[in-house]
Structures are given as structure tokens and as C-alpha cells.
Amino acid sequence: MALSPAIPSPHTNSVTAKVKTLSVGNGAASEGTKSTAGQGQELAEQLNEETKRKYVKDKKIGEGTYAIVYLGHLRADPKSKVAIKKIKVNAEYREGLSLDAIREVKFLQELSHPNIPALYSVFSSKNQNLNLVLEYLPLGDLEQLIRDVDGVRYGTADVKAWMGMLARAVWFCHENFVLHRDIKPNNLLIAADGEIKLADFGLARSFSDPYRVMTHQVITRWYRPPELLFGARYYSGAVDIWSTGTVFAELILRTPFLAGNSDVHQLELICQFVGTPNDDNWPGVSKLPDYVPFGKDGSQSYPVRGRDFYLQTFGTVGAVGVDLLMSMLSLDPRKRVTAREVLTHKWWSTDPTPTKKEDLPKKGAGGEARMAEDLKRRAGELDDGRGVKVARILDFSGMK
Amino acid sequence: MCESCVDRIFSQGPAPCPVAGCNRTLRKQRFRAQTFGDIQVEKEVDIRRRVAKIFNRRQDEFETLNDYNNYLEEVETLTFNLLNGVDVSATESKLAEYAAQNAAVISHNATLEYQESASQEARQAAEKEETRLRREAARREDEDERRAREEGRKEILEQLTHSNKNAVEVVKETKRVEVLKRRRAAQQAKAPATATGGGPSTKPSPFIIKGLKSTTALSPEKPYDPFGGLTDKRSYYVLQDHYEHPWLDQARTDPHITAGGYSVKEYCARSMFEAFSGLGVFVEEEVAGRGDASEGSGALDAVATAVAAVKAEGSGS
């Protein structure tokens, strides 16, 4: 009897469950045969059943085109709270699972960090629906706090605390060779204790091997770095740093820093507010596939913005903070700071000290609904009013 | 005393008490309308209020209810003494000494009380007041320090003009004195702080309270760690800045690849990590550990029973 080496213990049998869900296809073929392989299949099913029974779905807290989100709890402990994200079987991926779901499971189950939401378990329910049992994050997301200008007030110490948590999450991903590729305020969920969690790994992938192309159609537009807008197929963790930098700027301004309504507009905004890329400030930029020369034929060319501009616009975080922001928003990805360098920056040790997570400003009501909103959204999309303008269809053709 | 008499005697400022034999100086400001008809009651209320203001310990400061009751009894004895004129001077001095020694506790409890009674807004105002006081104290401290420094400098100048000692010596001498002074001041500042902690104070207190909970000082806050206590140190290898390999050369130099920010370094880090991952895993130890953990074996049992169930089902059908 071939016994699976996976030992089910609370919160760790996601691997087994995943194995099951992913191998459902050939499960149907071997059904009815009483071979040892068939018995193994049934064992996996048993394990899945066991996992499924461990959680209770309490109520639906949101539904989108991509997923349904339930509030649930452990059957053994009614006080515990989990979010169960049930990924809908999708018309586009009838033969298998959607890429987003696979990526999410693949990375969340491996990354265990206080600033990354925990994936407790995975199981499949009827119709081979994939259910992800996730950490319950009731306090909404950072975008809500940023937008609620009248209701929520925060200062530099709070910005520093949030940025610290975000930078740690990004560093941890990069340290484990994972590119997140969708960092934005509404993917930064807030846990009950005020901790920020970098969620939504639907666009994540591990670092590429040399000469292997990656898609440039990632990261929500406002947070997308210039190299991706220029269609770079070979990039690094620097793309996440740009997003982190724009989130940083947004936290200070309380409005998106570079809110372009098309890819070209986005590039124009970058030219205007960060600087026009050319071969001097970014050697080799003209070799990028979708490079458009800005600032040539008559249109205005802006020099790379100096410290004065940043001090004027983002001065509230202090001169040292502005230095950090500038180094994160460097046009040339090779000159951008790495996640590690962000964390070793001296801004963290200058005054003011980051606010303790339990003292961070929060928004009381609406968190649950918001979490549902965030979870049911497909990676790389913005929803409701904002989505109308900036939603886009993901193009994975570059992945092959 | 009637209002017009008060006006007549004290409108010019402080004046001695008109009662024969009482030589206290009284002020008009301190006179107030009588609340109770009986002057005796009025007096008692006054005294009780004063005593309660000083002895304002709370029950949650005591370890047991009994201790708290003993404390209350002792306070009542003091109050009784004051009311009935028993040992008034001794009692007064006890009161004053206690007040001086426990100033911090008293004011702390007073603010607590105030906060509890006041509404939300009032509470916020109190907090503001407290921070103002704190700021003021800090400012005063700064000023004191500055003044001390100024004085020291003046002293040096004076000594330089009046004595025939070597200039360097004079400066050294005054510096030494100053350091001593400062040290003494620091010690003085520390002494009352330890006394108010409720623990055993060095000076025998005239009024010993038993059974006080010892208050523990908060540990100093740790400096902020941007990495959140994690490290990226690998235990089996040290990552080099550069790895020579002809296959990587194009990725390093081709502008089509490098302009997008592709980092060969990241690839090398990953390759190294993957080459060494698993080296810290000792399956035998882990299997042995699994046997010890009851939960693990429980789960194993569960698997075993599940397998048995499946087998039984299979043979049955």
C-alpha cells in the first residue's frame, strides 16, 4: 500500500488537498479500479473530506466574478475566525484551475510571515471548486484609510509603521525569490491587531531564470514601473520596489501619485513627475520593446526631478524619508534600491519612531465587506468606480 | 462671619484673624459660603476632604481587601485625631510628611479620579493638561541645566580674574565640582522616585502602609527593527558578489535584458539557495521527533484508520 507521506495535522495538510484538487482529472479515469493507485486517490479524497469538515462556513460576505468569500470558523473552535475564499470554476479555464488560484496557493502556502496573510488550508468542495482557508482580516485595507480623508487622520509615524510592514513583506517575498507584481493599497489588508498584510498573490511568480521572458502585463497601472510600461520582458524585484514607492507617495499625498487612465498617459505622468527617461538617465532604455521616445518631436522633456521637488511635495516625512522615496522611484531599475536596502535605510531609525501596530489608526465599520471586496477581486484589477477606467484584461501570452 | 464683616476687614488684603487669641493671617479669597447650618459639620467635611485628598490610595493598589481596610482604618484614626484635636501637631506633621513622600502617587491617583468622574471631553482636556505639565517640567529641567552651565562658566571667569591659579587648573577644578553637583542632583531626583514606588523606602515612614502591590517599572522600549526580527543570513554559504559563468555573460551585458532591470545577482542568489536547501533537514531526526509528538502520532492513527476503512469498504463491495 503506497502511503502518502503527507501527515494531516491542523493547518498543514494544504499540500495534500492541493494534490487532490490538481489531480482530479485523472482521478475520473481511474475511478472504479481497485488498484493501489486508486486507493491512494481515495485516501487523498478522504483527507480532503477531513479538511473540509474541519471548517464551517458561516455566511457569505461577498461575491465577485472570480471568487465568493465566506466568513467561517473552525468546527472545533467556534471562536476562531477564518475567511474562506471559494474560487469559482471559470469559463476561461474549464480544463483546469485559473492561473490566479494556482499562483495564490503556490506562494501563500510557502510564505509564512507576519505581514503576509496565512493560508491555513486548501480543500475542494463539490464541482471541484477550490476553497482557500485564509486568515481573517477584519479591518479593511489601506486604501480605505487613505481615501477617508475626513474620518481618518494619520501622521508620519503611522506612515512609517505601515511602510515598515509593507517593506518587510516585500523583502520577505524577494528573499524567497517571489515577485509579488501587484502591490497597491487595496491589496494591503489590515489585521485585527493593526498589522498590515500584503495579500493577493494572484499575479506573483518566482524569479525568472536568465533569458526566460516574463509578461509585462502585470501590476495595476498606477503602480506599474516604467520598465513594464516599456514592455520589458526581463525584470527583477525592482518592479515591486517602484510599486512600494508609489504606495509610499500615496500614503503621504492621500491620493494616487501617478493615476494614469491609459498606459501612455501613465508614462506621460511618470515623465512629468519623476522625469523623462532617456539613454542618459537610464542606459539602454531605448532598446526596450515598447519604448516610446518622450520629449523628442516637440513635446516637453522633463529632467529627472531633484530633491527640491520631492521635499516640496512629500516634505512631511522629513528629508531622510524623501531620500528613501526618491531612491525607490528611480527610473532605471538597476539604480532603484533593493528591498533589503529599503530596510537598512536610516529613515527607520530617525525620528519619529514608527507607531506601535496596536495604536495605528483604524476604521471601524465596513471592514468585513471590504475584505470580501478585496478577496473576490481578480488580481490586477480595480473594482467599482475606479475599475471602469483602469480595468484591463490580463494577457498571459507572454508567459509561454 | 457675615459677608459685610469679611468685606470690611479683609478688603485691604490679608489681615490677622479677628478672633481673640488666634493669630492666623487670613485672606478674603479663602472665605466661602457655608454649606451646612452646623459649623461643626462644615468643619468636619472640610477636614475629611483635605485628608481624603492626600490619602487617596485605591483598593486595586492593595494585595488584599484586609490590607485596604487596615489602611482605611488608619486614615480614619488620623481624621478622628484632627477632628477632635488629639495630637493635632503630630498628626499634621504625619500628614505633611506622607504627602511629601507620596506626591507622585497622590497626584497620579488624583488624576485617575478626576478622569473617572469627568466626561469624555473633560478627560481629553485633562490629558492635554498633563502633557503640558510634562512639557513644562521638561522645559524647566532644560532651563535649570542651562542655568547651571551658565553659572559654571561664570564661576570659571570669576576664578580666573580673582585667583592667581593656572587657567587650566581652574577650569578643571570647576568642571569637577560641576560633575559632582550634577551627580548629586541626579541622585536626589532618583530618591523620591524609589520612595513612591510603594516598596520599602530608605527613610522610615511615619505612616506605614502594608500590603501595597509592588509596582513594576515598564521595561524600556526596544529600538525599532525594520526586519522584524528576521535575518537573511544563510547558514551554509556566503553569497558572493560575482559568479563567473559564460552562460550568464549575455544576461549581464545585453542592454535588451539589463535595461529592464533583470538582475543576474538575484538569479545567483536563488541558485545558491536552491543548491543548499535541504542540507539542514535530517529526516531521521524528524521521524524520531514525529514519534514523540502525540499530535503527530494521532494524525498517523487517523490516517491508518482511514486506510483501514477504505480497505474494508473495498473488500465489502
Side-chain angles (χ1 to χ4, degrees):
Chain A
M1 167 79 217
L3 218 162
S4 160
I7 304 303
S9 66
H11 292 171
T12 54
N13 48 8
S14 51
V15 187
T16 332
K18 192 185 126 209
V19 167
K20 191 258 158 184
T21 36
L22 295 182
S23 58
V24 157
N26 55 20
S30 64
E31 205 176 300
T33 60
K34 291 279 175 281
S35 68
T36 47
Q39 281 196 350
Q41 192 66 48
E42 287 190 30
L43 175 65
E45 238 158 68
Q46 290 253 344
L47 289 174
N48 179 50
E49 203 54 39
E50 215 165 275
T51 320
K52 199 165 113 188
R53 241 183 290 123
K54 217 165 10 186
Y55 297 96
V56 184
K57 281 177 188 167
D58 287 334
K59 60 172 178 181
K60 194 151 118 183
I61 52 178
E63 177 165 0
T65 47
Y66 167 60
I68 307 174
V69 185
Y70 298 91
L71 177 67
H73 64 83
L74 268 170
R75 197 177 291 277
D77 177 14
K79 276 206 291 275
S80 65
K81 277 185 170 178
V82 292
I84 301 177
K85 177 173 175 175
K86 178 171 161 187
I87 291 160
K88 285 185 175 175
V89 180
N90 197 300
E92 283 176 60
Y93 300 101
R94 177 122 314 158
E95 302 89 84
L97 285 161
S98 73
L99 264 172
D100 308 49
I102 293 173
R103 285 177 165 148
E104 185 128 33
V105 174
K106 180 175 170 190
F107 294 113
L108 278 183
Q109 76 176 358
E110 288 188 4
L111 297 172
S112 162
H113 187 269
N115 298 116
I116 291 169
L119 176 69
Y120 295 133
S121 235
V122 180
F123 61 87
S124 74
S125 49
K126 54 181 184 295
N127 303 334
Q128 271 94 56
N129 273 334
L130 192 58
N131 289 265
L132 313 185
V133 184
L134 291 158
E135 194 175 346
Y136 178 64
L137 305 168
L139 290 177
D141 60 37
L142 210 52
E143 196 210 351
Q144 259 181 315
L145 290 184
I146 294 173
R147 297 285 173 276
D148 190 4
V149 180
D150 300 322
V152 180
R153 267 150 216 274
Y154 57 78
T156 307
D158 305 322
V159 171
K160 192 180 276 193
W162 284 326
M163 281 308 292
M165 294 188 254
L166 169 57
R168 270 197 290 286
V170 175
W171 167 72
F172 190 76
C173 288
H174 289 185
E175 203 52 49
N176 289 289
F177 317 108
V178 174
L179 294 173
H180 185 277
R181 305 201 298 183
D182 199 16
I183 296 169
K184 57 182 172 185
N186 58 4
N187 274 344
L188 295 170
L189 308 190
I190 305 170
D193 60 352
E195 194 92 42
I196 293 282
K197 313 257 177 181
L198 177 57
D200 199 346
F201 280 71
L203 284 179
R205 65 159 292 158
S206 49
F207 285 7
S208 163
D209 287 337
Y211 316 114
R212 177 170 284 248
V213 293
M214 294 182 267
T215 172
H216 61 279
Q217 289 287 350
V218 283
I219 307 188
T220 307
R221 187 186 299 122
W222 298 347
Y223 309 95
R224 208 182 297 165
E227 65 264 29
L228 290 184
L229 291 163
F230 283 144
R233 300 303 160 97
Y234 309 96
Y235 48 85
S236 65
V239 295
D240 283 341
I241 302 297
W242 176 280
S243 307
T244 312
T246 49
V247 171
F248 188 11
E250 185 166 341
L251 273 172
I252 304 166
L253 299 176
R254 299 198 74 151
T255 174
F257 176 41
L258 304 163
N261 46 34
S262 69
D263 286 4
V264 176
H265 186 223
Q266 184 70 29
L267 270 171
E268 281 166 6
L269 286 178
I270 291 177
C271 290
Q272 192 179 337
F273 290 107
V274 183
T276 308
N278 54 41
D279 276 321
D280 296 330
N281 55 32
W282 184 353
V285 63
S286 55
K287 303 272 195 325
L288 289 175
D290 303 340
Y291 174 70
V292 194
F294 282 92
K296 295 281 161 67
D297 46 276
S299 68
Q300 204 184 342
S301 166
Y302 302 89
V304 173
R305 294 284 183 171
R307 203 147 175 268
D308 294 341
F309 166 77
Y310 284 95
L311 273 175
Q312 208 178 354
T313 322
F314 307 102
T316 47
V317 288
V320 189
V322 163
D323 281 342
L324 177 62
L325 176 63
M326 272 180 79
S327 55
M328 289 164 102
L329 292 181
S330 155
L331 283 174
D332 187 344
R334 283 161 295 182
K335 293 184 196 127
R336 225 169 278 156
V337 279
T338 63
R340 204 202 141 73
E341 282 159 5
V342 169
L343 287 179
T344 50
H345 198 273
K346 56 182 182 301
W347 188 50
W348 308 112
S349 51
T350 51
D351 271 345
T353 332
T355 317
K356 275 188 253 141
K357 64 181 179 186
E358 53 272 18
D359 302 334
L360 281 168
K362 320 182 164 154
K363 218 169 130 67
E368 195 176 271
R370 190 66 192 193
M371 180 185 65
E373 284 288 314
D374 287 332
L375 288 181
K376 79 192 186 195
R377 197 186 330 109
R378 177 172 310 199
E381 274 178 7
L382 291 167
D383 43 23
D384 47 71
R386 305 172 65 201
V388 177
K389 276 189 191 148
V390 288
R392 70 207 159 73
I393 295 160
L394 287 177
D395 172 19
F396 292 111
S397 55
M399 294 280 300
K400 287 162 195 145
Chain B
M1 218 172 354
C2 71
E3 221 173 295
S4 55
C5 287
V6 171
D7 267 348
R8 185 170 53 80
I9 303 171
F10 298 103
S11 57
Q12 305 293 339
C17 177
V19 175
C22 172
N23 292 323
R24 277 197 190 172
T25 311
L26 302 176
R27 284 156 206 276
K28 190 184 169 190
Q29 224 189 349
R30 300 289 293 268
F31 280 93
R32 58 184 165 76
Q34 195 174 330
T35 315
F36 298 98
D38 189 344
I39 193 81
Q40 222 38 60
V41 172
E42 182 81 25
K43 193 180 162 201
E44 177 164 352
V45 167
D46 264 7
I47 290 175
R48 282 194 180 279
R49 193 171 289 153
R50 190 160 69 91
V51 173
K53 219 173 232 172
I54 295 170
F55 290 100
N56 59 358
R57 295 233 178 231
R58 305 160 141 252
Q59 195 185 336
D60 50 3
E61 283 180 66
F62 291 87
E63 266 161 8
T64 61
L65 180 62
N66 211 11
D67 289 325
Y68 182 54
N69 285 339
N70 288 342
Y71 158 80
L72 286 182
E73 192 179 342
E74 213 154 331
V75 173
E76 186 53 38
T77 317
L78 285 182
T79 320
F80 181 86
N81 286 354
L82 286 179
L83 282 179
N84 297 292
V86 188
D87 273 349
V88 173
S89 63
T91 317
E92 280 294 351
S93 70
K94 261 188 191 177
L95 214 68
E97 208 161 327
Y98 175 83
Q101 280 194 355
N102 296 283
V105 176
I106 289 168
S107 69
H108 175 71
N109 282 347
T111 32
L112 274 184
E113 210 161 307
Y114 177 69
Q115 279 172 356
E116 272 164 24
S117 63
S119 67
Q120 182 68 25
E121 284 113 311
R123 208 174 298 162
Q124 274 169 352
E127 263 172 25
K128 222 178 264 173
E129 173 70 3
E130 216 176 32
T131 48
R132 193 186 63 82
L133 286 177
R134 221 178 302 131
R135 212 177 302 133
E136 203 156 60
R139 213 202 53 220
R140 215 177 299 129
E141 212 172 70
D142 272 344
E143 214 158 33
D144 282 353
E145 207 184 5
R146 215 201 53 224
R147 208 180 302 125
R149 218 180 303 129
E150 204 96 36
E151 254 166 41
R153 206 169 299 143
K154 227 178 264 168
E155 211 169 302
I156 293 176
L157 283 179
E158 212 144 279
Q159 289 211 19
L160 280 174
T161 47
H162 293 298
S163 78
N164 45 6
K165 268 194 254 173
N166 185 348
V168 178
E169 236 172 19
V170 169
V171 172
K172 251 192 208 158
E173 173 71 11
T174 41
K175 277 268 163 67
R176 204 172 56 82
V177 170
E178 215 173 290
V179 167
L180 273 181
K181 256 191 214 161
R182 209 173 296 159
R183 207 171 291 159
R184 212 170 302 138
Q187 268 171 2
Q188 269 171 4
K190 218 180 278 170
T194 49
T196 52
S201 63
T202 43
K203 219 166 76 183
S205 171
F207 187 86
I208 296 156
I209 303 172
K210 283 183 204 136
L212 269 184
K213 273 183 196 164
S214 59
T215 48
T216 46
L218 288 168
S219 56
E221 224 171 283
K222 281 187 213 133
Y224 184 72
D225 176 16
F227 287 90
L230 294 173
T231 163
D232 54 359
K233 286 266 179 313
R234 308 290 189 197
S235 33
Y236 293 100
Y237 61 91
V238 179
L239 197 64
Q240 304 295 313
D241 276 341
H242 188 83
Y243 289 92
E244 197 55 56
H245 196 286
W247 182 61
L248 293 173
D249 286 344
Q250 199 200 336
R252 282 203 177 101
T253 51
D254 184 358
H256 292 100
I257 293 175
T258 56
Y262 184 78
S263 157
V264 175
K265 220 171 153 184
E266 280 177 356
Y267 167 72
C268 293
R270 191 176 123 218
S271 306
M272 288 297 281
F273 175 79
E274 281 170 0
F276 282 87
S277 60
L279 272 191
V281 181
F282 299 99
V283 176
E284 276 171 15
E285 274 178 27
E286 239 175 59
V287 169
R290 200 185 290 160
D292 297 341
S294 59
E295 192 187 294
S297 64
L300 265 178
D301 290 346
V303 173
T305 45
V307 170
V310 169
K311 271 187 183 160
E313 210 175 83
S315 59
S317 62

